PDB file of all heavy atoms in Angstrom:
ATOM      1  N   ILE D   1     -82.724-190.223  75.589  1.00 92.00           N
ATOM      2  CA  ILE D   1     -82.232-190.505  74.097  1.00 92.00           C
ATOM      3  C   ILE D   1     -82.551-189.227  73.263  1.00 92.00           C
ATOM      4  O   ILE D   1     -83.663-188.682  73.389  1.00 92.00           O
ATOM      5  CB  ILE D   1     -82.834-191.736  73.531  1.00 92.00           C
ATOM      6  CG1 ILE D   1     -82.554-192.916  74.503  1.00 92.00           C
ATOM      7  CG2 ILE D   1     -82.385-191.985  72.158  1.00 92.00           C
ATOM      8  CD1 ILE D   1     -83.346-194.098  74.186  1.00 92.00           C
ATOM      9  N   VAL D   2     -81.686-188.776  72.501  1.00 93.00           N
ATOM     10  CA  VAL D   2     -81.904-187.541  71.688  1.00 93.00           C
ATOM     11  C   VAL D   2     -81.552-187.935  70.219  1.00 93.00           C
ATOM     12  O   VAL D   2     -80.818-188.827  70.015  1.00 93.00           O
ATOM     13  CB  VAL D   2     -81.223-186.217  72.137  1.00 93.00           C
ATOM     14  CG1 VAL D   2     -81.651-185.746  73.511  1.00 93.00           C
ATOM     15  CG2 VAL D   2     -79.682-186.547  72.188  1.00 93.00           C
ATOM     16  N   GLU D   3     -81.977-187.004  69.195  1.00 94.00           N
ATOM     17  CA  GLU D   3     -81.553-187.311  67.923  1.00 94.00           C
ATOM     18  C   GLU D   3     -80.078-187.091  67.791  1.00 94.00           C
ATOM     19  O   GLU D   3     -79.504-186.210  68.306  1.00 94.00           O
ATOM     20  CB  GLU D   3     -82.306-186.169  67.013  1.00 94.00           C
ATOM     21  CG  GLU D   3     -83.740-186.417  66.913  1.00 94.00           C
ATOM     22  CD  GLU D   3     -84.521-185.378  66.043  1.00 94.00           C
ATOM     23  OE1 GLU D   3     -83.802-184.637  65.369  1.00 94.00           O
ATOM     24  OE2 GLU D   3     -85.732-185.394  66.170  1.00 94.00           O
ATOM     25  N   GLY D   4     -79.431-188.019  66.960  1.00 94.00           N
ATOM     26  CA  GLY D   4     -77.998-187.940  66.694  1.00 94.00           C
ATOM     27  C   GLY D   4     -77.184-188.871  67.727  1.00 94.00           C
ATOM     28  O   GLY D   4     -76.043-189.088  67.375  1.00 94.00           O
ATOM     29  N   ASP D   5     -77.944-189.519  68.713  1.00 93.00           N
ATOM     30  CA  ASP D   5     -77.252-190.471  69.599  1.00 93.00           C
ATOM     31  C   ASP D   5     -76.907-191.664  68.655  1.00 93.00           C
ATOM     32  O   ASP D   5     -77.543-192.031  67.728  1.00 93.00           O
ATOM     33  CB  ASP D   5     -78.193-190.913  70.744  1.00 93.00           C
ATOM     34  CG  ASP D   5     -78.167-189.923  71.930  1.00 93.00           C
ATOM     35  OD1 ASP D   5     -77.498-188.966  71.720  1.00 93.00           O
ATOM     36  OD2 ASP D   5     -78.842-190.222  72.828  1.00 93.00           O
ATOM     37  N   LYS D   6     -75.801-192.432  69.150  1.00 94.00           N
ATOM     38  CA  LYS D   6     -75.304-193.567  68.474  1.00 94.00           C
ATOM     39  C   LYS D   6     -76.143-194.805  68.913  1.00 94.00           C
ATOM     40  O   LYS D   6     -76.503-194.909  70.085  1.00 94.00           O
ATOM     41  CB  LYS D   6     -73.802-193.833  68.694  1.00 94.00           C
ATOM     42  CG  LYS D   6     -72.870-192.799  67.850  1.00 94.00           C
ATOM     43  CD  LYS D   6     -71.551-193.197  68.185  1.00 94.00           C
ATOM     44  CE  LYS D   6     -70.727-192.060  67.444  1.00 94.00           C
ATOM     45  NZ  LYS D   6     -69.221-192.385  67.672  1.00 94.00           N
ATOM     46  N   VAL D   7     -76.373-195.752  67.982  1.00 95.00           N
ATOM     47  CA  VAL D   7     -77.067-197.056  68.398  1.00 95.00           C
ATOM     48  C   VAL D   7     -76.169-198.088  67.875  1.00 95.00           C
ATOM     49  O   VAL D   7     -75.599-198.044  66.797  1.00 95.00           O
ATOM     50  CB  VAL D   7     -78.406-197.181  67.721  1.00 95.00           C
ATOM     51  CG1 VAL D   7     -79.169-198.269  68.326  1.00 95.00           C
ATOM     52  CG2 VAL D   7     -79.176-195.800  67.978  1.00 95.00           C
ATOM     53  N   PHE D   8     -76.168-199.275  68.629  1.00 94.00           N
ATOM     54  CA  PHE D   8     -75.223-200.373  68.328  1.00 94.00           C
ATOM     55  C   PHE D   8     -75.954-201.688  68.284  1.00 94.00           C
ATOM     56  O   PHE D   8     -76.877-201.980  69.029  1.00 94.00           O
ATOM     57  CB  PHE D   8     -74.108-200.641  69.354  1.00 94.00           C
ATOM     58  CG  PHE D   8     -73.316-199.311  69.575  1.00 94.00           C
ATOM     59  CD1 PHE D   8     -73.577-198.585  70.798  1.00 94.00           C
ATOM     60  CD2 PHE D   8     -72.386-198.813  68.704  1.00 94.00           C
ATOM     61  CE1 PHE D   8     -72.922-197.403  70.950  1.00 94.00           C
ATOM     62  CE2 PHE D   8     -71.625-197.723  68.948  1.00 94.00           C
ATOM     63  CZ  PHE D   8     -71.902-196.865  70.086  1.00 94.00           C
ATOM     64  N   ARG D   9     -75.611-202.496  67.238  1.00 93.00           N
ATOM     65  CA  ARG D   9     -76.278-203.843  67.132  1.00 93.00           C
ATOM     66  C   ARG D   9     -75.642-204.759  68.216  1.00 93.00           C
ATOM     67  O   ARG D   9     -74.518-204.632  68.603  1.00 93.00           O
ATOM     68  CB  ARG D   9     -75.798-204.424  65.705  1.00 93.00           C
ATOM     69  CG  ARG D   9     -76.698-203.872  64.587  1.00 93.00           C
ATOM     70  CD  ARG D   9     -76.446-204.806  63.327  1.00 93.00           C
ATOM     71  NE  ARG D   9     -76.835-206.023  63.402  1.00 93.00           N
ATOM     72  CZ  ARG D   9     -76.575-207.091  62.633  1.00 93.00           C
ATOM     73  NH1 ARG D   9     -75.780-206.746  61.642  1.00 93.00           N
ATOM     74  NH2 ARG D   9     -77.014-208.315  62.833  1.00 93.00           N
ATOM     75  N   THR D  10     -76.463-205.783  68.568  1.00 91.00           N
ATOM     76  CA  THR D  10     -75.939-206.855  69.537  1.00 91.00           C
ATOM     77  C   THR D  10     -75.808-208.174  68.911  1.00 91.00           C
ATOM     78  O   THR D  10     -75.194-209.114  69.386  1.00 91.00           O
ATOM     79  CB  THR D  10     -76.918-206.994  70.730  1.00 91.00           C
ATOM     80  OG1 THR D  10     -78.206-207.355  70.346  1.00 91.00           O
ATOM     81  CG2 THR D  10     -77.095-205.600  71.538  1.00 91.00           C
ATOM     82  N   GLY D  11     -76.585-208.318  67.681  1.00 89.00           N
ATOM     83  CA  GLY D  11     -76.686-209.702  67.082  1.00 89.00           C
ATOM     84  C   GLY D  11     -77.575-210.732  67.819  1.00 89.00           C
ATOM     85  O   GLY D  11     -77.770-211.775  67.411  1.00 89.00           O
ATOM     86  N   LYS D  12     -78.191-210.159  68.920  1.00 89.00           N
ATOM     87  CA  LYS D  12     -79.000-211.124  69.780  1.00 89.00           C
ATOM     88  C   LYS D  12     -80.532-210.872  69.522  1.00 89.00           C
ATOM     89  O   LYS D  12     -80.893-209.656  69.340  1.00 89.00           O
ATOM     90  CB  LYS D  12     -78.770-211.002  71.424  1.00 89.00           C
ATOM     91  CG  LYS D  12     -77.380-211.442  71.779  1.00 89.00           C
ATOM     92  CD  LYS D  12     -77.309-211.363  73.207  1.00 89.00           C
ATOM     93  CE  LYS D  12     -75.788-211.786  73.661  1.00 89.00           C
ATOM     94  NZ  LYS D  12     -75.694-211.499  75.168  1.00 89.00           N
ATOM     95  N   THR D  13     -81.269-211.803  69.544  1.00 90.00           N
ATOM     96  CA  THR D  13     -82.744-211.709  69.526  1.00 90.00           C
ATOM     97  C   THR D  13     -83.164-211.522  71.056  1.00 90.00           C
ATOM     98  O   THR D  13     -82.476-211.930  71.907  1.00 90.00           O
ATOM     99  CB  THR D  13     -83.476-212.882  68.877  1.00 90.00           C
ATOM    100  OG1 THR D  13     -83.087-214.037  69.478  1.00 90.00           O
ATOM    101  CG2 THR D  13     -83.208-213.003  67.324  1.00 90.00           C
ATOM    102  N   ALA D  14     -84.472-211.017  71.192  1.00 90.00           N
ATOM    103  CA  ALA D  14     -84.847-210.843  72.492  1.00 90.00           C
ATOM    104  C   ALA D  14     -85.143-212.118  73.148  1.00 90.00           C
ATOM    105  O   ALA D  14     -85.584-212.979  72.575  1.00 90.00           O
ATOM    106  CB  ALA D  14     -86.300-210.056  72.419  1.00 90.00           C
ATOM    107  N   GLY D  15     -84.688-212.065  74.399  1.00 91.00           N
ATOM    108  CA  GLY D  15     -84.755-213.400  75.148  1.00 91.00           C
ATOM    109  C   GLY D  15     -84.932-213.132  76.680  1.00 91.00           C
ATOM    110  O   GLY D  15     -84.941-211.961  77.057  1.00 91.00           O
ATOM    111  N   ILE D  16     -85.150-214.185  77.468  1.00 94.00           N
ATOM    112  CA  ILE D  16     -85.307-213.924  78.899  1.00 94.00           C
ATOM    113  C   ILE D  16     -84.551-215.041  79.706  1.00 94.00           C
ATOM    114  O   ILE D  16     -84.528-216.245  79.262  1.00 94.00           O
ATOM    115  CB  ILE D  16     -86.887-214.073  79.188  1.00 94.00           C
ATOM    116  CG1 ILE D  16     -87.192-213.618  80.674  1.00 94.00           C
ATOM    117  CG2 ILE D  16     -87.429-215.452  78.901  1.00 94.00           C
ATOM    118  CD1 ILE D  16     -88.661-213.407  80.970  1.00 94.00           C
ATOM    119  N   PRO D  17     -83.908-214.527  80.687  1.00 94.00           N
ATOM    120  CA  PRO D  17     -83.215-215.568  81.515  1.00 94.00           C
ATOM    121  C   PRO D  17     -84.006-216.493  82.544  1.00 94.00           C
ATOM    122  O   PRO D  17     -85.111-215.939  82.973  1.00 94.00           O
ATOM    123  CB  PRO D  17     -82.399-214.638  82.488  1.00 94.00           C
ATOM    124  CG  PRO D  17     -83.051-213.362  82.547  1.00 94.00           C
ATOM    125  CD  PRO D  17     -83.840-213.191  81.240  1.00 94.00           C
ATOM    126  N   VAL D  18     -83.861-217.722  82.323  1.00 96.00           N
ATOM    127  CA  VAL D  18     -84.765-218.655  83.084  1.00 96.00           C
ATOM    128  C   VAL D  18     -83.935-219.651  83.984  1.00 96.00           C
ATOM    129  O   VAL D  18     -82.807-220.020  83.604  1.00 96.00           O
ATOM    130  CB  VAL D  18     -85.615-219.506  81.995  1.00 96.00           C
ATOM    131  CG1 VAL D  18     -86.552-218.691  81.400  1.00 96.00           C
ATOM    132  CG2 VAL D  18     -84.638-220.142  80.969  1.00 96.00           C
ATOM    133  N   SER D  19     -84.640-220.137  85.010  1.00 96.00           N
ATOM    134  CA  SER D  19     -84.009-221.049  85.892  1.00 96.00           C
ATOM    135  C   SER D  19     -85.247-221.460  86.846  1.00 96.00           C
ATOM    136  O   SER D  19     -86.203-220.901  86.926  1.00 96.00           O
ATOM    137  CB  SER D  19     -82.866-220.702  86.583  1.00 96.00           C
ATOM    138  OG  SER D  19     -83.244-219.724  87.509  1.00 96.00           O
ATOM    139  N   ASP D  20     -84.918-222.556  87.691  1.00 96.00           N
ATOM    140  CA  ASP D  20     -85.739-222.934  88.719  1.00 96.00           C
ATOM    141  C   ASP D  20     -86.014-221.841  89.783  1.00 96.00           C
ATOM    142  O   ASP D  20     -87.085-221.842  90.440  1.00 96.00           O
ATOM    143  CB  ASP D  20     -85.298-224.304  89.328  1.00 96.00           C
ATOM    144  CG  ASP D  20     -85.494-225.555  88.518  1.00 96.00           C
ATOM    145  OD1 ASP D  20     -86.504-225.502  87.752  1.00 96.00           O
ATOM    146  OD2 ASP D  20     -84.654-226.455  88.604  1.00 96.00           O
ATOM    147  N   ALA D  21     -85.009-221.053  89.939  1.00 96.00           N
ATOM    148  CA  ALA D  21     -85.098-220.032  90.999  1.00 96.00           C
ATOM    149  C   ALA D  21     -86.200-219.000  90.659  1.00 96.00           C
ATOM    150  O   ALA D  21     -86.541-218.147  91.443  1.00 96.00           O
ATOM    151  CB  ALA D  21     -83.738-219.278  91.068  1.00 96.00           C
ATOM    152  N   ILE D  22     -86.721-218.943  89.399  1.00 97.00           N
ATOM    153  CA  ILE D  22     -87.727-217.958  89.080  1.00 97.00           C
ATOM    154  C   ILE D  22     -89.140-218.323  89.671  1.00 97.00           C
ATOM    155  O   ILE D  22     -90.080-217.555  89.745  1.00 97.00           O
ATOM    156  CB  ILE D  22     -87.804-217.774  87.550  1.00 97.00           C
ATOM    157  CG1 ILE D  22     -88.358-216.417  87.154  1.00 97.00           C
ATOM    158  CG2 ILE D  22     -88.633-218.995  86.848  1.00 97.00           C
ATOM    159  CD1 ILE D  22     -88.300-216.053  85.705  1.00 97.00           C
ATOM    160  N   ILE D  23     -89.284-219.648  90.105  1.00 97.00           N
ATOM    161  CA  ILE D  23     -90.481-220.034  90.749  1.00 97.00           C
ATOM    162  C   ILE D  23     -90.798-219.283  92.069  1.00 97.00           C
ATOM    163  O   ILE D  23     -89.872-219.185  92.731  1.00 97.00           O
ATOM    164  CB  ILE D  23     -90.515-221.595  90.913  1.00 97.00           C
ATOM    165  CG1 ILE D  23     -90.524-222.271  89.769  1.00 97.00           C
ATOM    166  CG2 ILE D  23     -91.835-221.991  91.641  1.00 97.00           C
ATOM    167  CD1 ILE D  23     -90.319-223.743  89.732  1.00 97.00           C
ATOM    168  N   GLY D  24     -92.026-218.660  92.186  1.00 97.00           N
ATOM    169  CA  GLY D  24     -92.310-217.883  93.485  1.00 97.00           C
ATOM    170  C   GLY D  24     -91.888-216.410  93.348  1.00 97.00           C
ATOM    171  O   GLY D  24     -92.089-215.808  94.318  1.00 97.00           O
ATOM    172  N   ARG D  25     -91.489-215.998  92.039  1.00 97.00           N
ATOM    173  CA  ARG D  25     -91.123-214.758  92.042  1.00 97.00           C
ATOM    174  C   ARG D  25     -91.909-213.901  91.005  1.00 97.00           C
ATOM    175  O   ARG D  25     -92.759-214.384  90.314  1.00 97.00           O
ATOM    176  CB  ARG D  25     -89.562-214.553  91.375  1.00 97.00           C
ATOM    177  CG  ARG D  25     -88.603-215.394  92.200  1.00 97.00           C
ATOM    178  CD  ARG D  25     -88.385-214.821  93.635  1.00 97.00           C
ATOM    179  NE  ARG D  25     -87.886-213.380  93.455  1.00 97.00           N
ATOM    180  CZ  ARG D  25     -86.724-212.990  93.445  1.00 97.00           C
ATOM    181  NH1 ARG D  25     -85.661-214.045  93.477  1.00 97.00           N
ATOM    182  NH2 ARG D  25     -86.243-211.794  93.486  1.00 97.00           N
ATOM    183  N   VAL D  26     -91.772-212.513  91.296  1.00 97.00           N
ATOM    184  CA  VAL D  26     -92.459-211.659  90.297  1.00 97.00           C
ATOM    185  C   VAL D  26     -91.454-210.937  89.399  1.00 97.00           C
ATOM    186  O   VAL D  26     -90.546-210.249  89.970  1.00 97.00           O
ATOM    187  CB  VAL D  26     -93.213-210.464  91.154  1.00 97.00           C
ATOM    188  CG1 VAL D  26     -94.132-209.684  90.153  1.00 97.00           C
ATOM    189  CG2 VAL D  26     -94.323-211.288  92.067  1.00 97.00           C
ATOM    190  N   VAL D  27     -91.573-211.073  88.183  1.00 97.00           N
ATOM    191  CA  VAL D  27     -90.560-210.431  87.261  1.00 97.00           C
ATOM    192  C   VAL D  27     -91.211-209.564  86.226  1.00 97.00           C
ATOM    193  O   VAL D  27     -92.478-209.652  86.010  1.00 97.00           O
ATOM    194  CB  VAL D  27     -89.780-211.453  86.542  1.00 97.00           C
ATOM    195  CG1 VAL D  27     -88.860-212.311  87.500  1.00 97.00           C
ATOM    196  CG2 VAL D  27     -90.638-212.459  85.682  1.00 97.00           C
ATOM    197  N   ASP D  28     -90.439-208.638  85.654  1.00 95.00           N
ATOM    198  CA  ASP D  28     -91.072-207.895  84.530  1.00 95.00           C
ATOM    199  C   ASP D  28     -90.894-208.619  83.131  1.00 95.00           C
ATOM    200  O   ASP D  28     -90.391-209.674  83.077  1.00 95.00           O
ATOM    201  CB  ASP D  28     -90.313-206.366  84.451  1.00 95.00           C
ATOM    202  CG  ASP D  28     -88.956-206.480  84.061  1.00 95.00           C
ATOM    203  OD1 ASP D  28     -88.501-207.554  83.655  1.00 95.00           O
ATOM    204  OD2 ASP D  28     -88.236-205.418  84.158  1.00 95.00           O
ATOM    205  N   ALA D  29     -91.208-207.828  82.157  1.00 94.00           N
ATOM    206  CA  ALA D  29     -91.247-208.478  80.821  1.00 94.00           C
ATOM    207  C   ALA D  29     -89.775-208.958  80.297  1.00 94.00           C
ATOM    208  O   ALA D  29     -89.742-209.718  79.313  1.00 94.00           O
ATOM    209  CB  ALA D  29     -91.887-207.716  79.782  1.00 94.00           C
ATOM    210  N   LEU D  30     -88.801-208.359  80.931  1.00 92.00           N
ATOM    211  CA  LEU D  30     -87.427-208.685  80.530  1.00 92.00           C
ATOM    212  C   LEU D  30     -86.735-209.699  81.559  1.00 92.00           C
ATOM    213  O   LEU D  30     -85.658-210.119  81.258  1.00 92.00           O
ATOM    214  CB  LEU D  30     -86.546-207.451  80.471  1.00 92.00           C
ATOM    215  CG  LEU D  30     -87.052-206.289  79.517  1.00 92.00           C
ATOM    216  CD1 LEU D  30     -86.274-205.154  79.735  1.00 92.00           C
ATOM    217  CD2 LEU D  30     -86.973-206.820  78.149  1.00 92.00           C
ATOM    218  N   GLY D  31     -87.607-210.072  82.422  1.00 94.00           N
ATOM    219  CA  GLY D  31     -87.009-211.213  83.318  1.00 94.00           C
ATOM    220  C   GLY D  31     -86.366-210.612  84.566  1.00 94.00           C
ATOM    221  O   GLY D  31     -85.842-211.357  85.347  1.00 94.00           O
ATOM    222  N   GLU D  32     -86.455-209.292  84.747  1.00 94.00           N
ATOM    223  CA  GLU D  32     -85.836-208.726  85.872  1.00 94.00           C
ATOM    224  C   GLU D  32     -86.811-208.852  87.082  1.00 94.00           C
ATOM    225  O   GLU D  32     -87.975-208.489  87.011  1.00 94.00           O
ATOM    226  CB  GLU D  32     -85.567-207.180  85.611  1.00 94.00           C
ATOM    227  CG  GLU D  32     -84.580-206.945  84.356  1.00 94.00           C
ATOM    228  CD  GLU D  32     -83.132-207.350  84.739  1.00 94.00           C
ATOM    229  OE1 GLU D  32     -82.640-207.212  86.019  1.00 94.00           O
ATOM    230  OE2 GLU D  32     -82.480-207.782  83.810  1.00 94.00           O
ATOM    231  N   PRO D  33     -86.304-209.237  88.255  1.00 95.00           N
ATOM    232  CA  PRO D  33     -87.126-209.315  89.450  1.00 95.00           C
ATOM    233  C   PRO D  33     -87.616-207.995  89.892  1.00 95.00           C
ATOM    234  O   PRO D  33     -86.924-207.020  89.997  1.00 95.00           O
ATOM    235  CB  PRO D  33     -86.260-209.876  90.487  1.00 95.00           C
ATOM    236  CG  PRO D  33     -84.780-209.736  89.999  1.00 95.00           C
ATOM    237  CD  PRO D  33     -84.844-209.633  88.542  1.00 95.00           C
ATOM    238  N   ILE D  34     -88.914-207.879  90.280  1.00 94.00           N
ATOM    239  CA  ILE D  34     -89.464-206.611  90.760  1.00 94.00           C
ATOM    240  C   ILE D  34     -90.131-206.720  92.077  1.00 94.00           C
ATOM    241  O   ILE D  34     -90.936-205.921  92.496  1.00 94.00           O
ATOM    242  CB  ILE D  34     -90.497-206.068  89.727  1.00 94.00           C
ATOM    243  CG1 ILE D  34     -91.566-206.976  89.261  1.00 94.00           C
ATOM    244  CG2 ILE D  34     -89.700-205.462  88.443  1.00 94.00           C
ATOM    245  CD1 ILE D  34     -92.549-206.481  88.345  1.00 94.00           C
ATOM    246  N   ASP D  35     -89.865-207.856  92.831  1.00 93.00           N
ATOM    247  CA  ASP D  35     -90.496-208.113  94.074  1.00 93.00           C
ATOM    248  C   ASP D  35     -89.565-207.844  95.327  1.00 93.00           C
ATOM    249  O   ASP D  35     -89.994-208.094  96.379  1.00 93.00           O
ATOM    250  CB  ASP D  35     -90.926-209.689  94.139  1.00 93.00           C
ATOM    251  CG  ASP D  35     -89.808-210.650  93.820  1.00 93.00           C
ATOM    252  OD1 ASP D  35     -88.655-210.113  93.668  1.00 93.00           O
ATOM    253  OD2 ASP D  35     -90.103-211.879  93.734  1.00 93.00           O
ATOM    254  N   GLY D  36     -88.363-207.331  95.014  1.00 91.00           N
ATOM    255  CA  GLY D  36     -87.455-206.935  96.091  1.00 91.00           C
ATOM    256  C   GLY D  36     -86.861-208.059  96.750  1.00 91.00           C
ATOM    257  O   GLY D  36     -86.314-207.859  97.975  1.00 91.00           O
TER     258      GLY D  36
END
């Protein structure tokens, strides 16, 4: 990212995807799996 780059609104607040499938997993702070 450099000065002058464009930035766009999403209208969404920060959130995390959830489901029963997440049990037993290792995820990062955004809910992305990091356990391969």
Side-chain angles (χ1 to χ4, degrees):
I1 302 167
V2 294
E3 290 176 17
D5 279 1
K6 289 181 180 178
V7 190
F8 308 101
R9 283 188 63 190
T10 64
K12 290 182 180 177
T13 55
I16 189 163
V18 287
S19 73
D20 283 330
I22 204 168
I23 297 173
R25 302 297 299 272
V26 184
V27 298
D28 68 7
L30 299 174
E32 298 292 328
I34 53 173
D35 53 7

